Amino acid sequence: MDTDRMKPGILIFAGTTEGRSLAEYASANSVRCFVSVATDYGKSLLEKLENIILLTGRMDEKEMERFIEENDIRLVIDATHPFAREVTENIRSACEKARAYSGKVRYVRCVRPFEKRASSGQSAETSEKEDRAAGEEDTQDERIIYTESVQDAVEYLKKTTGNILIATGSKELHLYTEIDNYRERCFARVLSTEPTVKESVRLGFEGSHLFAMQGPFAPDLNLALLRQTKAAYFVTKETGKAGGFDEKAEAAEMAGAVLVVIGRPDETGESVEAVEEMIKEYAGEQNSSREILCGICRG
């Protein structure tokens, strides 16, 4: 394909509900797009969209920079997962370097809206202090425990007893192996991709202790898993509405399990609606024979 006819372009990195929404918006408005996805699963979600040219596979920072320069990308929209910090940093850095080369690259971060659930939520540190004061060994009430990272959540869980349902993804699943008796206490819910399942099994999560499925899930399914695993703790990331956070919190409350939440990084950016307006505005400035590039990378 002659990419010279596609310049200048818009590049959207995603792998999220927001990224798919932006690709669908561009398709519905006849804005031709390249869509770069990290996995075959991501590709399957978008391959039926019209006006979309799919690219599959992750890009590192150098590849991003080269792609931006070679395709004369003018607007880069980062709609990656809120916890994909390294990817976001790579995208931002690639844009800065490409801008130094062309002087025409704009970077925009599309962020997922989120409001903390009203509850008696507290930090793991605060919870431990209160437990010691009350003479309790662990917390198994309806509180929501906020931590700053998966490692912090693991450190908190090391001091508890009872089963644990893990829904924080496979990337940091190895950290839970630090928990004593983790093969009996811990149950992992991961994506149903072959590499993910193989790695989970390699770590010792297998049989009835491994659930491979694609979310987000309704409260009833979350509740069923909590009850099946007899989980006293449900570990999740602060993913917002798009990531099914409210459904997880509701299920944990119904099951009487403690919700252990890995807090989202603080960041600022634009809403999906604002970014859609940017796409519309930018597309209006382009010749109809040119392509808008949407690169979606899974976090």
Side-chain angles (χ1 to χ4, degrees):
M1 184 174 293
D2 182 6
T3 56
D4 287 340
R5 295 186 296 105
M6 305 174 191
K7 303 174 181 178
I10 296 175
L11 169 61
I12 307 175
F13 286 96
T16 57
T17 302
E18 292 78 14
R20 292 194 294 274
S21 177
L22 292 172
E24 290 167 354
Y25 174 84
S27 174
N29 286 275
S30 300
V31 179
R32 299 194 66 199
C33 298
F34 280 119
V35 177
S36 175
V37 296
T39 66
D40 289 336
Y41 174 75
K43 176 182 177 181
S44 69
L45 297 176
L46 298 168
E47 59 188 357
K48 294 183 180 180
L49 293 180
E50 295 182 357
N51 305 308
I52 296 295
I53 302 172
L54 286 170
L55 307 172
T56 307
R58 293 178 174 84
M59 288 190 281
D60 59 25
E61 182 184 329
K62 291 185 180 296
E63 290 170 327
M64 292 175 187
E65 180 186 353
R66 183 166 58 250
F67 198 87
I68 291 169
E69 292 177 356
E70 291 179 353
N71 291 276
D72 195 19
I73 303 302
R74 305 298 179 86
L75 176 62
V76 176
I77 300 169
D78 175 8
T80 56
H81 197 278
F83 286 89
R85 306 182 195 186
E86 182 178 352
V87 176
T88 287
E89 290 182 9
N90 286 343
I91 296 170
R92 186 180 289 111
S93 179
C95 289
E96 291 175 353
K97 293 176 180 178
R99 186 183 304 118
Y101 172 80
S102 67
K104 300 176 181 179
V105 182
R106 179 186 178 189
Y107 170 86
V108 175
R109 175 66 168 139
C110 179
V111 296
R112 178 178 296 181
F114 184 81
E115 293 183 4
K116 271 190 167 50
R117 185 179 174 87
S119 71
S120 55
Q122 54 192 287
S123 69
E125 181 180 2
T126 299
S127 175
E128 290 174 19
K129 289 179 179 178
E130 290 189 356
D131 290 343
R132 287 195 295 270
E136 298 174 351
E137 294 182 357
D138 53 58
T139 48
Q140 296 189 18
D141 57 17
E142 296 180 350
R143 287 177 299 189
I144 299 179
I145 304 299
Y146 289 94
T147 66
E148 295 185 359
S149 66
V150 171
Q151 184 64 65
D152 287 346
V154 168
E155 293 303 319
Y156 166 72
L157 290 165
K158 286 179 180 179
K159 302 177 178 68
T160 67
T161 59
N163 290 350
I164 304 164
L165 178 59
I166 302 165
T168 53
S170 60
K171 185 177 180 180
E172 297 171 298
L173 189 60
H174 65 281
L175 295 174
Y176 294 94
T177 64
E178 299 175 12
I179 298 173
D180 288 341
N181 205 28
Y182 80 92
R183 291 174 185 265
E184 284 70 41
R185 287 189 66 194
C186 296
F187 298 77
R189 186 171 73 188
V190 300
L191 290 176
S192 56
T193 61
E194 185 176 357
T196 296
V197 172
K198 283 185 175 180
E199 175 61 13
S200 300
V201 171
R202 187 190 70 80
L203 291 171
F205 297 90
E206 56 186 335
S208 62
H209 287 254
L210 181 65
F211 303 95
M213 55 184 72
Q214 172 65 38
F217 307 100
D220 287 349
L221 181 52
N222 287 319
L223 179 60
L225 288 178
L226 287 167
R227 287 177 172 169
Q228 179 176 332
T229 59
K230 299 180 180 178
Y233 298 89
F234 189 9
V235 194
T236 183
K237 291 181 177 179
E238 198 175 45
T239 53
K241 183 177 181 180
F245 180 80
D246 287 346
E247 289 80 357
K248 294 173 190 173
E250 181 179 340
E253 185 174 351
M254 293 174 66
V258 174
L259 190 68
V260 181
V261 183
I262 289 81
R264 277 172 54 175
D266 291 331
E267 60 178 350
T268 58
E270 303 292 339
S271 66
V272 169
E273 293 75 17
V275 175
E276 287 176 348
E277 286 300 314
M278 292 180 191
I279 292 176
K280 181 178 180 181
E281 178 182 351
Y282 206 87
E285 299 173 357
Q286 296 181 313
N287 187 297
S288 60
S289 66
R290 293 172 176 175
E291 299 265 349
I292 288 183
L293 170 69
C294 304
I296 299 184
C297 284
R298 199 158 176 85

